[in-house]
Amino acid sequence: MTAVESEPRRAVATAARPRRRVRRQHGDNLAGYLFLIPWLIGVVVFVAGPTLASLYLSFTNFNLLSAPRWVGLQNYIQLFTVDPRYLHSIVVTVIYVVFSVPLSLIAALVLALLLNAKIKGVGIYRSIYYVPSLLGGSVAIAILWRQIFDSNGIFSKLLQLFGLPATSWISSPGLAIWTLIFLHIWQFGSPMVIFLAGLKQIPAELYEAASTEGASKWRQLRSITLPLLTPIVFFNLILTLINSFQAFTPAYVVSSGTGGPLDSTLFYTLYLYINGFTNFRMGYASAQGWVLLIVVGVFTAIAFITSRYWVYYEDSEKR
Amino acid sequence: MSQQSAFARARRDLTITRRGLMTSAVGTAGALLLAACSSGGSDGGSSAKVTSGPVKLTTAKLAISWWGADDRTTKTLAALKLYTQKHPQITFQPSYGGIVGYQDKMVTQFSGGNGPDLMQVSDRLPFIANDQLLDLDPYIKAGRIDLSGANQATLDSQRVGGKLYTIPWGLSANCFFYNKALFQQAGVAEPKNGWTWDDYADTLEKLSDGLPDGVYPSEDIWAPAGTTAWQPFQLYLFSKGIKPYKSGGKELNFGKAELSEWLSFWQGLLKKGYLPPASDTAEENAIQTSPFVKRTAALYPINSSIATSLQGLMKDELGVVTLPTGYQSKQNLPAKEFGEYINAPIIIGANAKTQYPDDVVDVINFLITNPDANKITLMSRGVPLTQAITKLVTPLVTPIERAMTQMIDYVQAHATKNTQAFPDTDGQIGTLMQNTSQSVAFGKQSVSAAVSDFFSQAQTILASGS
Amino acid sequence: MTASALTVARTRRRRGRQDRASHAVLHIVLIAGSIVMIYPLIWMIGASFKPENEIFSGAILNPFPAHFSWSNYVSGWAGSGEITFGQFFLNSLLVCVGAIVGNLISCSLAAYSFARMRFKLRGLWFAVMLGMLMLPFPVTIVPQYIMFHALGWTNSILPLIIPKFFGVESFFVFLMIQFIRTIPRELEQAAQVDGANRFQIFVRVVLPLLTPALVTTTIFTFIWTWNDFFSQLIYLGKPERYTVAVGLQSFLDATGQSQWGAMFAMTTLSLIPVFLLFLFFQRRLVEGIATTGLK
């Protein structure tokens, strides 16, 4: 143990030496797999079984209490032919994703930049801005959100100050989805923290050098911060995208599991859950799950392809 | 210690773990099939060889599950403790908690062949349809569960395929709660058990005159935390002598005329301003967000099981009456046309695969019929099933619970044999009905359009059932 | 050296005044934002001190109780049945600590492999890793339960902790991959030249540089596990094992008596540990060990 005690310092001392890069395609087979062993075991033992089981179930009629019965593609066909609620749940989810993903990411990034400043009480501010995310999808949120967005709620009162009519946002079929989008934005804490952590990864000497050269704050943001932050932006984008497509808790909690009013908050995963556990149609629900997996997979793949053009990796071998 | 050996050891450990776990993982899909197969194969309990007379109970630890807040849980635990005192060989592994996720947990456990011996159920039909619950009839016939003094119509409403798998663990029914202070303020007489829908409409009209602006006479029938539209409509059908389903639950037994009559009735009340606008009603997702609790409605259609909670949320004194029944008459209807029956959401059933059927049955009998046990549990699940027990505990309960008891008594005295084969897709028809009612109330659809949508979608749902 | 230091000093002095003004503006903006962010919480804390019949009727919007009372905390702390909320807190803490340790170890190992090594089928495994995030949870609940039941792990905390030691939380694996990729390779290469093996490089060079991601993982694992309801509900059969998330749900019942006040009181209490944890660990994000110390 003690033999390697001073490794990092020596590593630093030698950082300037010329690189000696081994460039073989599979040069790290042994080491790579050694590090991956725990993860591989996890995949095989804990993930593969349930996942494959759910794939199998998607081709069956399975009511959870009797043996599954093979029905081939029937579930998949039904989804797209005779189930208007399913198609509706797709529309609701797409609206949610389209608005909540960019808005919450922008909010998180802006706040992370502001709260990265060296000002007094920044720790308190961060904690306060993170508080909504601490609540997660707890029971309390269900009640709080109703209070805020009903016709006598604080939100409606605020709008009235600006001369808008008092409406109950939570209970109007056209507006209810917005209360959930707001909820998502309000809980931007997680991406914000990841951005903050990412900002800390950017070497301070880059900023010092830039200040010395007289670069403005704005200029520093554009040429240092944002480019170096792109891997983290990319991470947040991918994860927020995946999570929003699967959003369940907010709608479940706020609508008491119904997706109401008039199915206006019937998220994809909520409808899937209702089918599986309320309607006892787990085979059908599994088919829904696998359709979602494919759709989200395609979107993620697209994001990865475009990332080549805008994500900057410090370790990029192209340099 | 060298890194090398640490790695080697880690690898060895992991390999061992992996081999052990691999078997199970690869077997998951198979296990799933097996578990499900075995659960499907059982015949719903050994019904034949139940002897009467005293039984020697086996030594056992029984798993028992229920949902409920602290009041119900503490009382139930005390009752179980009393049972163990009397039968020291039988102890319990209780599992309790909130209603959220309860059914998911139950279904998941049964799916894994790991259901509790005994449990509080709500959605019994899927469990019964898949032979997961113990047939209690033989035990009742053998006198091991003593249901004398229980209302026959109430028990019959629990029967599926002529057999009794579940027993109400406390009676409740759909009803109207009303705010006595608001009735007084408006100078309107309080409603009486057995009132009709015409009486209801009259009451609303009078209330409307006497109540201040912004306070509506009643909540809409689809109030989300309340009766959710489908059950009141079924009772309405029953009162007309129509059963909701036919062909063993494969088809609807009512026509477009009945549904549009019902929807038009509610649309009419809404247009007159007797009910809160749809968006006010939709603000409710649980009783605490209902217009009734906010004091903007004087009547509230909901199941009586929440009586204590509802009263606890409000400063005004509450009353409770039966759901109105009948339509064309202002007279109290004769018994055969009274549509309502006890539709208790809190019932008890036993696992068909329990190792200790004798013990389990004895515990059910104790919980339902033992005076000491019921003096502990009181009305934490609703009005007790048998008359003797009800008489015993009534003096010990709160005013709202006494009013609830009167309402239940009335329903039981007038209930007809509304036995009906319900499909296991009944819940989905309920959701459809809820959406149909909302759609009309929000003005998204005309009554006739909503009705034809209802029938076409109901057909799809019923066809998807088993 | 001295010349550039002088320039920096001069620039800083000039910026000092501007900064003070802009900081004032920033504070105002941040405080205004804080109110929006925290109002619902204030309301909830207020509600936790109100008698039940005051919470949902009357002056609902006013967070301050007309009749202040501790009784919700008393009845809430009594918990459910014979188990107090104190027990739920301990159970939650245990599950959280297990999950954190598991995630930190397993996810960082996997992430290092994915981020820095070239091996056969890497692309495939990477896709599998991300794919694990994409299947909605309800469809695997039942098969998973059957699997853990076959292992004899149901009714214990094992299903909530053991899988974390095998990197099943792809979120954190991917998070760490992205962070590792923001670290220049030179440091590791230098260590390699000095004769350090891969594991030594990982422990001595990569992990310290990865601190912000590790802190993030710690915070998130704690909070998400603390709030996770469904899996805890399904696997923790015995009330004496229940966690805070499960305990909170047991206050409400749509078919009987509910205790809203107690629910708000215990939700408020349950926020304290997570809030303190965040307050403590976010410092680590401020200080940022990162490459700054390595100039």
Side-chain angles (χ1 to χ4, degrees):
Chain A
M1 271 296 189
T2 41
V4 282
E5 196 65 69
S6 56
E7 276 307 329
R9 236 151 283 152
R10 260 198 287 156
V12 172
T14 51
R17 283 188 204 170
R19 295 170 206 172
R20 206 181 52 181
R21 183 169 290 156
V22 192
R23 308 205 53 167
R24 272 177 300 157
Q25 192 59 37
H26 302 305
D28 309 311
N29 264 336
L30 180 65
Y33 274 100
L34 276 179
F35 276 92
L36 211 56
I37 281 174
W39 181 84
L40 280 172
I41 293 172
V43 170
V44 173
V45 174
F46 296 114
V47 181
T51 307
L52 294 177
S54 79
L55 179 61
Y56 163 73
L57 290 175
S58 75
F59 297 106
T60 67
N61 221 338
F62 180 43
N63 68 7
L64 291 164
L65 297 171
S66 289
R69 194 162 44 81
W70 184 266
V71 293
L73 286 171
Q74 190 193 305
N75 290 328
Y76 290 91
I77 293 166
Q78 273 195 2
L79 280 176
F80 293 100
T81 52
V82 292
D83 193 345
R85 285 188 92 195
Y86 176 69
L87 301 177
H88 179 73
S89 77
I90 295 177
V91 174
V92 170
T93 308
V94 167
I95 293 174
Y96 179 74
V97 169
V98 163
F99 288 100
S100 69
V101 172
L103 290 177
S104 69
L105 284 183
I106 290 168
L109 181 58
V110 169
L111 260 298
L113 289 170
L114 289 179
L115 295 178
N116 196 37
K118 290 196 172 55
I119 53 170
K120 255 187 203 159
V122 72
I124 302 289
Y125 284 128
R126 281 181 192 171
S127 305
I128 288 176
Y129 280 86
Y130 195 74
V131 157
S133 310
L134 294 179
L135 276 166
S138 73
V139 215
I141 282 285
I143 295 168
L144 292 175
W145 229 238
R146 292 263 146 187
Q147 302 297 347
I148 293 170
F149 287 104
D150 77 7
S151 49
N152 298 311
I154 193 106
F155 188 75
S156 179
K157 292 261 172 355
L158 280 176
L159 290 184
Q160 277 171 279
L161 286 182
F162 296 100
L164 291 158
T167 352
S168 169
W169 282 60
I170 202 95
S171 67
S172 308
L175 298 173
I177 181 81
W178 282 98
T179 65
L180 296 181
I181 294 172
F182 291 146
L183 178 59
H184 187 131
I185 299 170
W186 185 61
Q187 296 189 326
F188 62 64
S190 299
M192 177 187 82
V193 165
I194 295 170
F195 279 134
L196 276 171
L199 289 170
K200 284 302 152 199
Q201 290 285 67
I202 300 173
E205 57 265 34
L206 288 179
Y207 291 110
E208 274 164 33
S211 304
T212 320
E213 284 161 27
S216 70
K217 280 264 161 75
W218 176 244
R219 172 86 208 189
Q220 290 178 26
L221 177 71
R222 279 192 44 204
S223 5
I224 302 173
T225 313
L226 290 183
L228 289 183
L229 203 59
T230 47
I232 309 306
V233 174
F234 180 63
F235 172 83
N236 273 332
L237 176 70
I238 295 283
L239 263 300
T240 314
L241 195 68
I242 292 176
N243 289 338
S244 305
F245 267 113
Q246 292 186 39
F248 167 78
T249 317
Y252 179 80
V253 161
V254 172
S255 75
S256 285
T258 63
L262 267 181
D263 286 350
S264 60
T265 59
L266 187 69
F267 285 0
Y268 193 99
T269 305
L270 179 58
Y271 185 50
L272 180 161
Y273 168 85
I274 290 174
N275 272 322
F277 284 102
T278 312
N279 300 346
F280 292 86
R281 299 179 72 193
M282 194 43 96
Y284 193 63
S286 300
Q288 269 179 273
W290 280 84
V291 172
L292 184 66
L293 178 116
I294 291 164
V295 171
V296 176
V298 167
F299 274 97
T300 309
I302 292 171
F304 265 91
I305 291 167
T306 62
S307 77
R308 287 186 199 145
Y309 303 102
W310 63 274
V311 179
Y312 170 88
Y313 288 109
E314 188 67 22
D315 67 355
S316 168
E317 294 183 0
K318 273 179 251 155
R319 282 185 304 153
Chain B
M1 120 190 134
S2 85
Q3 305 287 348
Q4 212 61 36
S5 73
F7 244 113
R9 218 186 41 214
R11 201 162 55 180
R12 202 172 55 233
D13 289 352
L14 291 173
T15 329
I16 295 164
T17 333
R18 186 173 166 189
R19 203 175 300 138
L21 294 179
M22 268 267 260
T23 355
S24 70
V26 173
T28 307
L32 176 76
L33 289 177
L34 276 177
C37 286
S38 62
S39 63
S42 108
D43 68 339
S46 45
S47 29
K49 326 121 201 133
V50 176
T51 53
S52 53
V55 186
K56 196 165 180 299
L57 299 175
T58 342
T59 301
K61 186 163 198 172
L62 302 176
I64 175 168
S65 294
W66 68 87
W67 77 83
D70 186 45
D71 173 65
R72 182 184 295 161
T73 291
T74 307
K75 287 173 175 168
T76 309
L77 286 173
L80 293 176
K81 199 168 269 176
L82 183 66
Y83 184 85
T84 301
Q85 266 171 28
K86 295 188 175 182
H87 309 275
Q89 72 273 39
I90 294 177
T91 51
F92 296 94
Q93 176 53 63
S95 177
Y96 48 78
I99 191 170
V100 171
Y102 180 83
Q103 170 159 306
D104 318 22
K105 184 177 178 172
M106 248 344 84
V107 175
T108 306
Q109 288 180 346
F110 270 92
S111 199
N114 190 30
D117 297 293
L118 249 167
M119 75 265 177
Q120 183 173 317
V121 218
S122 176
D123 196 357
R124 69 207 158 104
L125 296 173
F127 288 92
I128 294 172
N130 294 291
D131 301 318
Q132 300 286 353
L133 295 185
L134 188 68
D135 176 10
L136 300 175
D137 266 338
Y139 299 94
I140 296 166
K141 282 193 193 107
R144 305 257 292 275
I145 301 178
D146 177 15
L147 295 183
S148 54
N151 182 283
Q152 212 49 48
T154 299
L155 290 179
D156 285 345
S157 72
Q158 289 289 315
R159 289 185 184 277
V160 175
K163 291 181 179 175
L164 197 67
Y165 297 89
T166 53
I167 297 174
W169 196 356
L171 303 175
S172 54
N174 290 320
C175 61
F176 265 100
F177 284 92
Y178 59 93
N179 187 322
K180 290 190 172 190
L182 288 177
F183 267 76
Q184 208 158 26
Q185 189 185 340
V188 177
E190 291 176 15
K192 290 198 174 66
N193 287 324
W195 59 334
T196 67
W197 286 114
D198 288 307
D199 295 335
Y200 172 75
D202 285 353
T203 308
L204 262 51
E205 194 180 345
K206 286 180 203 147
L207 282 170
S208 170
D209 293 339
L211 289 172
D213 279 355
V215 181
Y216 298 89
S218 173
E219 280 207 47
D220 211 330
I221 197 67
W222 54 270
T227 53
T228 56
W230 178 227
Q231 286 189 346
F233 177 62
Q234 287 187 50
L235 300 183
Y236 168 75
L237 288 176
F238 278 134
S239 77
K240 291 187 142 219
I242 301 170
K243 289 183 176 180
Y245 296 104
K246 65 182 172 191
S247 328
K250 282 266 172 272
E251 279 176 273
L252 294 174
N253 187 38
F254 57 93
K256 294 187 175 179
E258 283 86 20
L259 183 57
S260 45
E261 188 179 43
W262 173 258
L263 291 175
S264 305
F265 174 69
W266 290 100
Q267 193 186 37
L269 296 175
L270 183 64
K271 278 184 177 159
K272 285 181 189 150
Y274 296 169
L275 311 172
S279 71
D280 283 17
T281 307
E283 276 179 4
E284 161 180 336
N285 68 339
I287 56 170
Q288 72 273 11
T289 41
S290 63
F292 187 73
V293 170
K294 289 178 191 159
R295 228 174 169 270
T296 55
L299 282 152
Y300 187 19
I302 193 167
N303 192 285
S304 63
S305 61
I306 50 89
T308 307
S309 231
L310 197 59
Q311 180 66 77
L313 282 171
M314 300 182 67
K315 288 171 181 155
D316 300 330
E317 198 192 334
L318 305 185
V320 55
V321 284
T322 55
L323 214 58
T325 183
Y327 192 34
Q328 301 299 335
S329 156
K330 295 193 182 183
Q331 307 301 313
N332 278 0
L333 289 166
K336 71 174 165 45
E337 287 176 29
F338 182 74
E340 187 156 17
Y341 61 100
I342 299 294
N343 192 2
I346 304 176
I347 52 190
I348 189 168
N351 191 335
K353 289 202 288 293
T354 176
Q355 285 178 280
Y356 316 103
D358 289 327
D359 299 15
V360 160
V361 162
D362 198 59
V363 174
I364 294 180
N365 187 46
F366 177 81
L367 292 171
I368 302 283
T369 65
N370 184 284
D372 294 331
N374 279 278
K375 271 194 222 160
I376 297 171
T377 52
L378 297 177
M379 296 199 178
S380 57
R381 285 186 176 81
V383 178
L385 179 68
T386 68
Q387 276 177 340
I389 299 289
T390 307
K391 203 166 279 174
L392 183 74
V393 303
T394 307
L396 307 172
V397 300
T398 58
I400 188 70
E401 285 173 320
R402 272 200 284 277
M404 176 175 94
T405 308
Q406 279 171 15
M407 186 272 296
I408 294 289
D409 279 350
Y410 187 93
V411 172
Q412 296 211 95
H414 293 79
T416 41
K417 273 188 102 177
N418 290 320
T419 47
Q420 159 82 56
F422 286 98
D424 52 8
T425 46
D426 184 60
Q428 293 176 64
I429 300 288
T431 309
L432 176 61
M433 179 70 183
Q434 182 73 358
N435 277 348
T436 305
S437 304
Q438 281 192 48
S439 186
V440 173
F442 272 106
K444 297 256 169 200
Q445 273 184 313
S446 68
V447 168
S448 61
V451 168
S452 52
D453 265 18
F454 177 91
F455 276 89
S456 71
Q457 286 181 44
Q459 209 170 12
T460 316
I461 292 172
L462 291 173
S464 77
S466 51
Chain C
M1 191 68 195
T2 31
S4 72
L6 267 176
T7 329
V8 172
R10 219 174 298 141
T11 338
R12 277 192 185 146
R13 220 171 300 132
R14 181 157 39 83
R15 292 237 171 104
R17 257 161 292 147
Q18 289 177 2
D19 280 1
R20 233 167 291 139
S22 67
H23 278 187
V25 174
L26 190 58
H27 275 294
I28 291 168
V29 171
L30 287 175
I31 289 171
S34 298
I35 294 169
V36 174
M37 297 303 283
I38 214 169
Y39 164 81
L41 192 78
I42 303 284
W43 186 89
M44 183 180 79
I45 296 172
S48 74
F49 291 107
K50 290 177 182 174
E52 217 143 67
N53 62 8
E54 204 186 288
I55 298 178
F56 298 107
S57 52
I60 301 173
L61 290 182
N62 182 0
F64 302 103
H67 307 88
F68 184 91
S69 122
W70 282 103
S71 66
N72 291 328
Y73 284 84
V74 176
S75 66
W77 189 258
S80 191
E82 288 154 353
I83 319 292
T84 68
F85 233 81
Q87 183 69 42
F88 298 159
F89 270 92
L90 286 177
N91 293 339
S92 274
L93 215 55
L94 183 66
V95 175
C96 283
V97 169
I100 289 171
V101 173
N103 273 345
L104 285 178
I105 297 173
S106 67
C107 296
S108 61
L109 284 171
Y112 183 51
S113 177
F114 276 123
R116 284 296 200 247
M117 315 218 188
R118 298 284 168 272
F119 49 88
K120 269 184 204 162
L121 301 180
R122 178 174 165 277
L124 171 77
W125 292 124
F126 186 79
V128 167
M129 190 269 298
L130 278 184
M132 281 157 64
L133 286 166
M134 296 173 196
L135 198 62
F137 78 95
V139 304
T140 49
I141 288 180
V142 170
Q144 228 164 38
Y145 182 87
I146 290 170
M147 176 181 80
F148 285 124
H149 186 53
L151 289 169
W153 288 7
T154 46
N155 286 335
S156 80
I157 60 170
L158 294 179
L160 304 175
I161 294 181
I162 301 298
K164 312 275 196 235
F165 280 85
F166 296 91
V168 296
E169 295 264 16
S170 294
F171 181 95
F172 299 115
V173 177
F174 188 35
L175 177 79
M176 291 185 200
I177 292 176
Q178 293 303 93
F179 272 85
I180 292 175
R181 295 197 67 183
T182 63
I183 304 170
R185 271 174 194 259
E186 282 80 356
L187 300 171
E188 292 153 69
Q189 282 156 355
Q192 204 173 2
V193 170
D194 286 358
N197 68 32
R198 288 286 198 169
F199 191 72
Q200 289 167 329
I201 294 174
F202 171 69
V203 174
R204 308 267 151 181
V205 182
V206 176
L207 281 186
L209 293 176
L210 203 56
T211 309
L214 298 177
V215 169
T216 309
T217 301
T218 306
I219 295 175
F220 286 4
T221 306
F222 189 91
I223 291 163
W224 292 346
T225 310
W226 192 263
N227 287 332
D228 173 33
F229 168 66
F230 268 101
S231 54
Q232 295 176 3
L233 172 79
I234 292 206
Y235 290 114
L236 304 175
K238 299 178 183 171
E240 54 270 32
R241 299 251 164 79
Y242 285 179
T243 53
V244 169
V246 177
L248 286 177
Q249 285 287 357
S250 70
F251 288 121
L252 302 188
D253 178 10
T255 66
Q257 215 167 327
S258 294
Q259 304 159 272
W260 290 275
M263 189 273 291
F264 284 129
M266 289 306 107
T267 306
T268 305
L269 278 194
S270 81
L271 285 179
I272 293 174
V274 270
F275 186 77
L276 289 181
L277 177 108
F278 184 82
L279 201 62
F280 175 75
F281 273 103
Q282 62 85 25
R283 279 162 188 271
R284 309 299 300 224
L285 296 177
V286 190
E287 288 158 6
I289 294 93
T291 44
T292 40
L294 300 171
K295 277 188 294 186

